[in-house]
Amino acid sequence: MAPNIPLEMELPGVKIVHAQFNTPMQLYSDDNIMETLQGQVSTALGETPVIRGTVVKARDKYRHPECFVCSDCNLNLKQKGYFFVEGQLYCEAHARARMRPPEGYEAVTVYPKC
């Protein structure tokens, strides 16, 4: 997707021209471009954004920083690392407590390479 030409969208009574050009390396993802276009369309239609201010995005969900906490101890997980266990956020200690390895195995935390 992400062409280097403007995208045009016709809505009742308004024409939106989205001119976020991509680089030759396709630096911007299709999701990023569509999210920006959706924001323009929502604004043109007079819709109010649901989330305002600073947010944390984890697993395609947006959370306010004060809501980005361990489900057990309410530790703020910002800059600390977080784990999903059955759809819930946990700090490392509580994620380990919920994910006991089989007898004879040891749990090892593996962090993604940036």
Side-chain angles (χ1 to χ4, degrees), residues 25-113:
M25 297 178 351
Q26 299 293 309
L27 182 64
Y28 302 109
S29 70
D30 290 346
D31 289 341
N32 181 282
I33 290 173
M34 289 309 294
E35 184 176 311
T36 304
L37 178 59
Q38 182 181 14
Q40 288 178 327
V41 170
S42 295
T43 301
L45 294 175
E47 295 176 3
T48 305
V50 177
I51 296 177
R52 293 188 180 121
T54 304
V55 296
V56 177
K57 183 178 179 183
R59 285 242 176 120
D60 296 329
K61 280 185 137 181
Y62 294 95
R63 295 171 173 84
H64 292 102
E66 59 273 8
C67 299
F68 190 62
V69 296
C70 175
S71 295
D72 280 348
C73 66
N74 288 328
L75 173 73
N76 191 301
L77 300 172
K78 188 174 137 188
Q79 303 295 326
K80 293 187 175 46
Y82 58 91
F83 301 83
F84 279 95
V85 179
E86 297 179 2
Q88 297 294 315
L89 280 169
Y90 294 98
C91 63
E92 184 173 358
H94 288 112
R96 282 181 179 265
R98 292 188 175 278
M99 298 300 297
R100 297 267 181 225
E103 186 76 30
Y105 290 87
E106 181 181 331
V108 177
T109 304
V110 178
Y111 297 96
K113 293 181 182 180

